[in-house]
Amino acid sequence: MNCPFCGQFDSKVIDSRPTDEGQAIRRRRECNACQKRFTTYEKVEEIPLIVIKKSGNREPFNRNKILNGMIRACEKRPVPLKEIETLVNQIEKHLQNEMEKEVATDQIGEMVMDALKKLDEVAYVRFASVYREFKDLNTFMDELTKILHEKKRPANR
């Protein structure tokens, strides 16, 4: 790390402590050449994630869009906000761990639907009806029938 005062590369760490709720490390350093002290921060580098919309447009990933969609789907349902936030964190972490720089909205939507299906079936149907753009009652009924068939299947297929 170059000293911001004299430009020398040689410095030593005097103190380290976690900051930002453990998301970064704050380091106090001392330059071995001029003995002046300065602070640096070490943080995990996150790969910026770009979402490819259905229209082909690209925009930066925004976890709040997933959170808001899930909250809307769970409105007036007995689903704690903490559980929704946990699912959003899991989805975001999964996308970051994939190490892909671009992800299609279809992939995100399917992940949200899978999570909602396990959390609350009514919320799942609400989200699916908007996400899959159900055009009529038959499409809606087809989705409900699929859910009912899945429930009837034994767990050990």
Side-chain angles (χ1 to χ4, degrees):
M1 179 67 59
N2 288 344
C3 172
F5 304 104
C6 69
Q8 290 295 315
F9 185 72
D10 196 22
S11 67
K12 63 182 174 187
V13 175
I14 299 169
D15 181 45
S16 289
R17 63 181 68 167
T19 186
D20 292 337
E21 298 176 6
Q23 299 302 308
I25 304 262
R26 178 185 183 269
R27 300 198 192 281
R28 279 300 283 162
R29 295 178 175 270
E30 183 177 287
C31 176
N32 289 334
C34 70
Q35 276 69 50
K36 290 196 177 178
R37 293 181 177 187
F38 57 99
T39 302
T40 61
Y41 292 89
E42 183 178 316
K43 191 174 183 176
V44 173
E45 183 178 17
E46 293 180 4
I47 299 169
L49 191 59
I50 301 297
V51 176
I52 305 169
K53 307 291 277 181
K54 289 179 184 177
S55 66
N57 293 339
R58 286 169 164 72
E59 65 181 48
F61 174 79
N62 182 349
R63 74 185 308 278
N64 287 331
K65 287 187 174 186
I66 297 173
L67 181 63
N68 291 337
M70 290 179 81
I71 288 171
R72 218 172 302 123
C74 293
E75 205 169 278
K76 297 182 182 177
R77 298 295 304 153
V79 179
L81 181 60
K82 190 75 176 158
E83 286 187 44
I84 298 170
E85 289 173 337
T86 299
L87 291 175
V88 173
N89 289 339
Q90 289 171 356
I91 291 169
E92 183 177 21
K93 189 176 202 172
H94 177 80
L95 292 170
Q96 289 289 343
N97 288 342
E98 289 291 307
M99 300 299 285
E100 295 292 326
K101 293 181 181 179
E102 294 184 335
V103 62
T105 54
D106 293 349
Q107 183 180 349
I108 296 171
E110 293 298 325
M111 291 173 73
V112 170
M113 286 194 300
D114 288 344
L116 283 174
K117 188 183 282 188
K118 294 171 190 160
L119 182 67
D120 186 277
E121 291 172 339
V122 173
Y124 163 75
V125 172
R126 286 177 178 171
F127 187 88
S129 69
V130 173
Y131 176 73
R132 292 201 174 131
E133 299 172 348
F134 291 172
K135 301 287 185 225
D136 55 27
L137 194 55
N138 289 333
T139 316
F140 198 84
M141 286 304 295
D142 291 344
E143 193 66 34
L144 291 175
T145 304
K146 269 197 273 183
I147 293 172
L148 290 173
H149 284 292
E150 287 176 10
K151 281 184 107 171
K152 289 179 183 176
R153 273 191 233 145
N156 302 348
R157 292 181 218 176

